[in-house]
Amino acid sequence: MTRLRAIAVFAVAFAVLAVLAGKDLLQPSTNNHFSHMAQGWLEGRLALPGEPPGYPRAYDDWGRVHSLTLKDGTVLRGFPCRTQACVDKRRRERIETFRATDGSVHDVPLAQVAARGGTWYVTFPPGPALVMLPGVALWGLGFPDILLTVIVGALIPALLLRLFERVRPGRPREHLLACAAWAFASPACFVAAHGSVWFTAQILADLFLVLHLGAAWNAARPAGAGLWLGLAAACRPQVAFAAPFYLLEWWRVDRRPAALLRFFAPLALIGGALAWFNWVRFDDIFEFGHRYLEIRWQERIQTHGMFGLHYLWRNLECMLWLWPQVQLSPLHVRWSIHGMGLLFASPWLLCLLNARDPLPQRRGLVLAALAVAVPALLYQNSGQVQFSYRFALDFLPFVLVLLVAGGGAQPVVHAPGARLRRPSTVRRLAVPARPGPPVRPRPVVALRARVMLRV
């Protein structure tokens, strides 16, 4: 029955997402960067053959490594400093501050510059391009990446359903409600229906994260857990911080060194491949290329950094409590490009307060979710054009599994005239800590009104 329900969940989710995608479903998205990356691999190159599509006016999130050829023959690769101080220095002293790919900073007199150039790159981790490679080999840049994103987006709740049956069996209604919450009342709904470079990467990372959770639960499949987490990190590098979930599971139920080695082996192989990919393009094993993005807020990035506390409060607002602007006369509701906070767009998250059932994996799920959330909260971007805070998708799989496995998805009913049970904490307090006269607890008065009972 679980398999049939999973198929039904996939079918319903696919139908809804396909309707939301509309006429673009079978078309390549405007920002199909991963198709360009895969096409480059097939042609034996790592960079774009020229300028990106739509340049110089209608292009978005492409990276450019600038090159300066000096009159003495020296060639520098990197990017120009665009902070206000550097702009003023260039204007007053005719000296350009240039940061090379190796991290060195050069003050170059403009009179010494013989030529300028640049090479354009896709500055995103290559995991999605690897998934698209067979399709791009068949259809080229016409590969329908939106359709791929919709299919993967529909697969995720189906896989979640099977995972829920493992972690909390025999609760089909709870599982279906949780799947609906993910598919239609979380950022996944907007993201999965739109494709594009940012959204496809997030949806594929979530698919691999759900598979990772299934393999890491009770440390059941160490190699699988490492493989799926590595593939998720190849789409969204910050999700690698979710590794503590498996490590705590291993410590709790296994503790064999061989199992730990099987977990880290695929992670190390994928991490090594990503490091090599970064090095051959940007001379830095940790640089995926976002430092070289040709975007209007480069000045902000170079001033405050790619990550920093400067962005924390804004990102917290976007994640939690940002809400639409409402005008009463005439009635008009306007969404910010930063979307809505999760408290408004995904209020089911409040059910976490009810997820109090004993759960040995609780610590690992919480730690993994927090570890993945912190980089997003310190990142220079809030996610931009979105219905709700899409970076939450990097940690929501852990939150949703915690909610279901901890009993937070249990339906609540109203029972007129029901009697309140004394909480277990009150019963424990009624037992004296040391011998002595018995302690009589104050009676608990049962309200003869509508009270909430868990079923």
Side-chain angles (χ1 to χ4, degrees):
M1 286 298 293
T2 302
R3 180 174 297 180
L4 292 177
R5 283 195 297 268
I7 294 173
V9 166
F10 170 80
V12 171
F14 178 83
V16 173
L17 293 175
V19 170
L20 292 176
K23 60 182 178 60
D24 296 328
L25 179 64
L26 302 179
Q27 304 296 322
S29 66
T30 303
N31 298 290
N32 60 339
H33 295 44
F34 291 121
S35 293
H36 285 268
M37 182 181 283
Q39 184 70 32
W41 295 348
L42 293 170
E43 295 175 359
R45 53 180 172 79
L46 297 176
L48 296 181
E51 294 171 343
Y55 184 82
R57 295 188 178 182
Y59 70 104
D60 202 354
D61 276 7
W62 300 88
R64 184 184 187 186
V65 177
H66 294 255
S67 62
L68 292 182
T69 302
L70 307 185
K71 290 182 178 179
D72 63 1
T74 302
V75 178
L76 300 176
R77 294 180 71 244
F79 60 88
C81 175
R82 293 174 179 169
T83 65
Q84 190 59 50
C86 290
V87 171
D88 292 341
K89 184 176 182 179
R90 189 179 194 275
R91 185 176 62 250
R92 290 196 308 263
E93 304 176 26
R94 306 296 293 169
I95 292 178
E96 180 167 327
T97 302
F98 192 86
R99 180 186 175 95
T101 54
D102 62 3
S104 60
V105 178
H106 304 263
D107 285 334
V108 181
L110 295 181
Q112 296 299 317
V113 178
R116 295 177 181 269
T119 306
W120 291 88
Y121 292 93
V122 176
T123 64
F124 292 86
L130 183 64
V131 174
M132 293 183 182
L133 192 61
V136 173
L138 291 174
W139 290 286
L141 295 178
F143 174 72
D145 58 308
I146 297 178
L147 176 61
L148 171 68
T149 311
V150 167
I151 292 173
V152 175
L155 273 174
I156 292 172
L159 292 173
L160 281 171
L161 184 73
R162 304 200 67 172
L163 178 59
F164 295 155
E165 186 59 35
R166 281 183 55 201
V167 303
R168 189 176 175 86
R171 306 271 185 154
R173 183 182 175 187
E174 294 178 25
H175 303 163
L176 290 173
L177 288 173
C179 289
W182 170 272
F184 309 126
S186 82
C189 183
F190 174 87
V191 169
H194 283 80
S196 295
V197 57
W198 318 278
F199 305 149
T200 300
Q202 285 199 275
I203 288 299
L204 280 169
D206 280 330
L207 174 70
F208 296 137
L209 274 182
V210 172
L211 292 170
H212 164 71
L213 274 166
W217 199 265
N218 291 328
R221 299 188 299 278
L227 173 64
W228 297 126
L229 184 60
L231 290 175
C235 301
R236 299 277 296 170
Q238 58 268 40
V239 302
F241 291 112
F245 176 72
Y246 174 80
L247 296 179
L248 288 177
E249 287 293 273
W250 170 80
W251 184 259
R252 184 176 63 85
V253 302
D254 196 325
R255 301 194 186 185
R256 291 176 301 160
L260 199 59
L261 288 175
R262 289 201 299 273
F263 170 70
F264 278 115
L267 267 180
L269 287 173
I270 294 173
L274 294 176
W276 173 84
F277 189 64
N278 293 338
W279 176 262
V280 296
R281 296 186 302 163
F282 307 116
D283 302 325
D284 185 341
I285 62 174
F286 298 110
E287 180 58 65
F288 286 95
H290 269 31
R291 187 184 302 274
Y292 302 96
L293 285 173
E294 285 290 313
I295 49 180
R296 62 180 180 271
W297 43 83
Q298 263 294 346
E299 188 269 339
R300 181 183 71 197
I301 294 174
Q302 293 184 17
T303 300
H304 301 289
M306 191 72 70
F307 296 88
L309 292 174
H310 175 79
Y311 311 112
L312 178 60
W313 182 257
R314 180 205 62 184
N315 288 337
L316 278 172
E317 180 183 11
C318 294
M319 182 175 76
L320 295 175
W321 62 80
L322 185 65
W323 66 312
Q325 301 171 6
V326 180
Q327 176 182 306
L328 296 179
S329 182
L331 182 62
H332 179 72
V333 180
R334 179 179 177 271
W335 268 261
S336 163
I337 62 170
H338 301 286
M340 283 194 297
L342 296 176
L343 293 177
F344 297 98
S346 303
W348 53 267
L349 287 169
L350 294 174
C351 293
L352 280 169
L353 300 175
N354 199 41
R356 298 189 297 269
D357 289 0
L359 181 64
Q361 291 86 359
R362 183 184 303 276
R363 182 180 301 176
L365 291 169
V366 171
L367 183 59
L370 290 176
V372 174
V374 167
L377 290 174
L378 300 178
Y379 186 53
Q380 58 87 22
N381 194 318
S382 66
Q384 283 292 324
V385 183
Q386 56 192 356
F387 181 76
S388 60
Y389 185 71
R390 65 181 178 88
F391 289 161
L393 292 177
D394 295 336
F395 57 84
L396 274 184
F398 299 96
V399 173
L400 187 57
V401 171
L402 172 61
L403 190 152
V404 172
Q410 295 182 96
V412 182
V413 299
H414 294 275
R419 297 178 62 186
L420 278 171
R421 292 180 58 188
R422 190 185 310 167
S424 59
T425 53
V426 175
R427 293 197 299 272
R428 286 196 295 268
L429 288 174
V431 180
R434 59 183 63 183
V439 179
R440 293 180 177 273
R442 294 182 180 181
V444 179
V445 180
L447 301 178
R448 307 217 27 112
R450 294 166 63 88
V451 299
M452 303 291 288
L453 288 180
R454 291 173 57 190
V455 296

